[in-house]
């Protein structure tokens, strides 16, 4: 059997989901809060244009912070990530009056809170300048309104890049650039940067820009720190120093157009010419952005609710989900290929549980391109990506979770132009080839760049010893990764491989110490030495839960429930249904469950494996969704590149994916009859495609492959309606494959 089931959580909304676009009509963008993440961007666009804000030593992950001073407006951002800020490059900063030293502090407070809606962004600065922004895939438009009768200046500083104040060695560095001004009043150049959370080597971005009128003066500058080495009318500067240009205008109203490219500055000029002309108005770009987001994204989920809070939450979440990854097809400097290219996968550790599955359903075309791109990255870089950004694969927190994403796509029938033989080979690289150590100071024992750093132990012992950092959490994830290899091997008719990887998918069991106890439970995944002995472990603690600890970002209580492909065995290990239910309850009662962190995302749905307890998944789902709202602080953790938003969306949809599947433009209509959405939310009965349904789970084919319907009747009291077949535990049965 394949592994593509969804659990019934709760649904208190009538909801319509489609992989294809609905007829135009409603403007859903009115419900979207763009201040989180605080950039303007087309769906999956390369350019994400927005303000860069300084506020003490707070890291501004996507540039925007609600409080603080604006120190530039830059073209490149990565939305919703943690770790440390990435990008914040190709910026410009408006200054009133002549600029005596462009290297000095030029930041400005805002005179009013920033405003924005899909396609447009506006900042009002204390110096009286109003900055309006809009963007296309590879270009941006700035519209400046300066105070009247004063000199208007715009500073372009190539060294501008988002800083990190965490002191963890993950800050970005500027390593040089160039800037040239041409007779026809356009300028071009490039900047080179490195590091950031994924420890990337130097990467270069090119830009090409022009203004709506000729400057009354142009000066270029160079210097170190705030000390100028040159500041004059030379038209070209280059080097490793801070450098750039200062444009001065005789007008209070100035438009600035900029194109970017990872290939060359002439490609940046071409991108600009293709997307934003001198005659293009900001209003027309905003109009196009709204039309695109409505047609390509928002209209794909429609709910019957007229509650504005529900609508804001839904559509703001969809913005967070589809602003990255970035479609950089045609913009890959690493190799030339006819395959699509997507960057800013940040990260599969965050997104593989529930983001990629919804990505597939709602954006099937982009999703197929994204899978092809991942395989092409393996072809040319040797490994599938994990937290790819600035064209560099790292950094890996747990397993090689691209394996789960590919398997999910495979079992849900995603085919198109994907070469699945290569896809499987890419997964086998993860499963069989130890990546070279990148000597990460945070975890020097093995690679954090790609693949499975702790693979040698996995292959030798069937578990990971503490000579490798994050030994237990990596092992638990390697099990699910190998389950992914099993699924694809089986589908491709590779029986021997399938048996091998199914066997390996059970290796999490080798970390199970039946004598490890906590809060009246015994049996947890714990560290294990090469000689076979378990290391004593308090399941409630994991020391720092970080890079060099045995569990990453969660403890043994959470990781012990993560063998979601092998639940029947897990249930047996913990002592049966009652003990299993009590374990899940304790995650909440003992405050272990963290709605803001991914390893426990699936735990509330494990009640579906216990006869008569489906209602508890509903109760937990309600509890968790209440932690979300559409404000700037509306997520219980950082967005993690849309993982949080997709988690919420599945809660709203009332299903939880255990692996991901194919959407082909059909519609799933979910309706719910309920007296009161706040008090009557327990499932009383369910019909699927018009027929009574007694299982707390669905297969992909039931409602997604060809579309379908789900009709819930909801009530105030739990009802034992899911009396049919329990959800499958595909890794728990006989090893012999049917
Ligand atoms: C600017 O730097 C880029 C990247 O290093 C290089 O390709 C280009 O030739 C340089 N241009 C000038 C004018 O120095
Ligand atoms: C600047 O503005 C003044 C007054 O409007 C005008 O006379 C002058 O020609 C302008 N100079 C340039 C370079 O545009
Ligand atoms: C990705 O970008 C390429 C190049 O711009 C474009 O041809 C393709 O249609 C884009 N994919 C999607 C899903 O928009
Ligand atoms: C499963 O893995 C174990 C441990 O590596 C090995 O001893 C056993 O032979 C394997 N079984 C099969 C059927 O491959
Ligand atoms: C553990 O069991 C004891 C005895 O039944 C009970 O008193 C205690 O409350 C339980 N503790 C927890 C955390 O469940
Ligand atoms: C394994 O090694 C540990 C640490 O050296 C030791 O305490 C333990 O007794 C050993 N176990 C076995 C089974 O030899």
């Amino acid at each position: 059997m394949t592994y593509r089931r969804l659990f019934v959580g709760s649904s208190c909304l009538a909801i319509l989901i489609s992989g294809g676009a609905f007829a135009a009509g409603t403007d859903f963008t009115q419900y979207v809060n763009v201040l989180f993440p605080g950039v303007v961007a087309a769906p999956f666009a390369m350019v994400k244009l927005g303000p860069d804000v300084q506020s003490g030593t707070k890291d501004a992950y996507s540039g925007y912070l609600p409080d603080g001073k604006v120190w530039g407006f830059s073209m490149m951002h990565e939305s919703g990530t943690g770790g440390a800020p990435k990008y914040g490059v190709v910026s410009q900063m408006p200054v009133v009056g002549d600029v005596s030293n462009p290297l000095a502090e030029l930041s400005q407070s805002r005179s009013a809170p920033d405003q924005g809606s899909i396609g447009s962004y506006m900042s009002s600065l204390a110096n009286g300048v109003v900055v309006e922004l809009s963007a296309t895939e590879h270009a941006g438009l700035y519209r400046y309104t300066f105070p009247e009768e004063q000199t208007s200046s715009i500073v372009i500083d190539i060294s501008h890049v988002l800083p990190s104040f965490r002191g963890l060695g993950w800050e970005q560095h500027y390593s040089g650039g160039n800037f040239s001004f041409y007779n026809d009043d356009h300028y071009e150049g490039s900047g080179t940067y490195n590091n950031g959370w994924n420890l990337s080597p130097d990467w270069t971005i090119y830009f090409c820009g022009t203004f709506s009128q000729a400057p009354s003066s142009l000066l270029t500058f160079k210097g170190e720190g705030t000390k100028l080495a040159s500041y004059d009318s030379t038209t070209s500067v280059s080097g490793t120093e801070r450098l750039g240009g200062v444009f001065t205008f005789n007008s209070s109203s100035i438009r600035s157009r900029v194109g970017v490219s990872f290939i060359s500055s002439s490609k940046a000029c071409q991108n600009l010419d293709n997307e934003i002309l001198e005659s293009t108005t900001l209003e027309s770009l905003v109009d196009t952005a709204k039309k695109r987001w409505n047609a390509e994204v928002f209209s794909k989920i429609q709910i019957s609710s007229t509650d504005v809070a529900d609508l804001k939450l839904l559509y703001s979440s969809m913005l967070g989900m589809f602003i990255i990854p970035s479609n950089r097809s045609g913009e890959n400097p690493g190799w030339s290929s006819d395959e699509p290219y997507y960057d800013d996968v940040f990260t599969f550790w965050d997104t593989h549980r529930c983001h990629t599955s919804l990505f597939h359903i709602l954006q099937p075309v982009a999703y197929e391109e994204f899978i092809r791109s991942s395989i092409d990255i393996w072809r040319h870089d040797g490994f599938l990506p994990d937290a790819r950004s600035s064209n560099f694969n790292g950094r890996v927190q747990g397993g090689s979770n691209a394996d789960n994403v590919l398997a999910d796509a495979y079992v849900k029938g995603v085919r198109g132009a994907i070469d699945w033989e290569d896809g499987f080979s890419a997964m086998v690289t993860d499963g069989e080839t130890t990546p070279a150590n990148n000597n990460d100071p945070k975890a020097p024992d093995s690679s954090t760049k790609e693949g499975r750093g702790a693979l040698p132990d996995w292959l030798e012992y069937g578990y990971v010893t503490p000579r490798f950092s994050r030994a237990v959490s990596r092992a638990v994830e390697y099990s699910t990764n190998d389950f992914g290899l099993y699924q694809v091997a089986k589908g491709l008719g590779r029986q021997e491989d399938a048996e091998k990887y199914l066997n390996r998918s059970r290796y999490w069991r080798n970390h199970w110490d039946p004598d490890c106890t906590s809060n009246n439970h015994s049996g947890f995944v714990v560290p294990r030495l090469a000689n076979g002995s378990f290391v004593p472990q308090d399941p409630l603690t994991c020391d720092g839960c970080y890079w060099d600890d045995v569990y990453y970002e969660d403890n043994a209580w959470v990781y012990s429930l993560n063998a979601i492909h092998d639940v029947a065995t897990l249930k047996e290990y913990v002592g049966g249904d009652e003990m299993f239910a009590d374990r899940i309850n304790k995650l909440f009662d003992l405050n272990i469950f963290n709605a803001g962190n991914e390893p426990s995302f699936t735990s509330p749905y494990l009640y579906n494996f216990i006869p008569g307890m489906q209602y508890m998944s509903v109760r937990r789902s309600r509890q968790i969704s209440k932690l979300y709202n559409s404000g700037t602080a509306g997520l219980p953790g950082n967005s993690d590149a849309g993982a949080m938003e997709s988690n919420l969306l599945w809660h709203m949809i009332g299903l939880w994916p255990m692996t991901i599947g194919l959407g082909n433009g059909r519609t799933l209509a979910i309706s719910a009859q309920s007296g009161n959405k706040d008090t009557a939310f327990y499932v009383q009965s369910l019909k699927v495609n018009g027929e009574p349904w007694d299982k707390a789970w669905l297969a992909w084919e039931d409602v997604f492959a060809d579309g379908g319907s789900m009709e819930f009747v909801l009530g105030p009291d739990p009802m034992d309606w899911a009396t049919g077949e329990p959800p499958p535990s595909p890794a728990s049965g006989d090893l012999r494959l049917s």
Side-chain angles (χ1 to χ4, degrees), residues 261-300:
S261 171
F262 283 88
I263 304 295
S264 66
S265 48
S266 56
K267 180 91 193 295
C269 293
Q270 220 179 73
N271 286 340
L272 179 60
D273 291 344
N274 288 344
E275 296 176 14
I276 304 181
L277 302 172
E278 179 50 38
S279 57
T280 308
T281 62
L282 193 112
E283 286 71 18
S284 72
L285 291 178
V286 174
D287 192 50
T288 303
K290 288 196 160 140
K291 284 193 175 119
R292 286 197 55 192
W293 277 99
N294 275 328
E296 294 171 28
V297 179
F298 301 136
S299 65
K300 295 187 177 179

Side-chain angles (χ1 to χ4, degrees), residues 97-169:
D98 290 318
V99 177
S100 58
N101 180 0
L103 298 176
E105 168 77 37
L106 300 173
S107 65
Q108 286 286 320
S109 307
R110 284 108 142 182
S111 60
D114 290 356
Q115 290 175 34
S117 58
I118 287 291
S120 76
Y121 197 92
M122 185 171 89
S123 283
S124 304
L125 303 180
N127 61 5
V129 181
V130 174
V131 185
E132 292 164 280
L133 309 169
S134 195
T136 56
E137 273 98 336
H138 310 96
L141 179 65
Y142 300 66
R143 186 162 71 186
Y144 293 106
T145 310
F146 282 80
E148 299 282 344
E149 289 169 18
Q150 295 183 59
T151 309
S152 307
S153 299
I154 291 168
V155 175
I156 295 178
D157 175 1
I158 315 304
S159 72
H160 180 108
V161 61
L162 289 176
S164 174
F165 301 99
R166 294 185 69 194
L168 294 173

Side-chain angles (χ1 to χ4, degrees), residues 659-713:
T659 318
I660 326 324
L662 164 82
N664 57 2
R666 307 293 166 84
T667 297
L668 166 61
I670 301 175
S671 66
Q673 262 181 42
S674 163
N676 182 319
K677 76 170 183 139
D678 292 317
T679 56
F681 46 74
Y682 292 110
V683 179
Q684 309 294 298
S685 67
L686 170 63
K687 280 185 182 171
V688 173
N689 302 326
E691 300 292 329
W693 195 263
D694 63 2
K695 297 183 291 188
W697 59 282
L698 297 157
W700 176 254
E701 293 76 8
D702 293 326
V703 294
F704 282 106
D706 298 309
S709 69
M710 299 178 69
E711 297 160 71
F712 288 93
V713 175

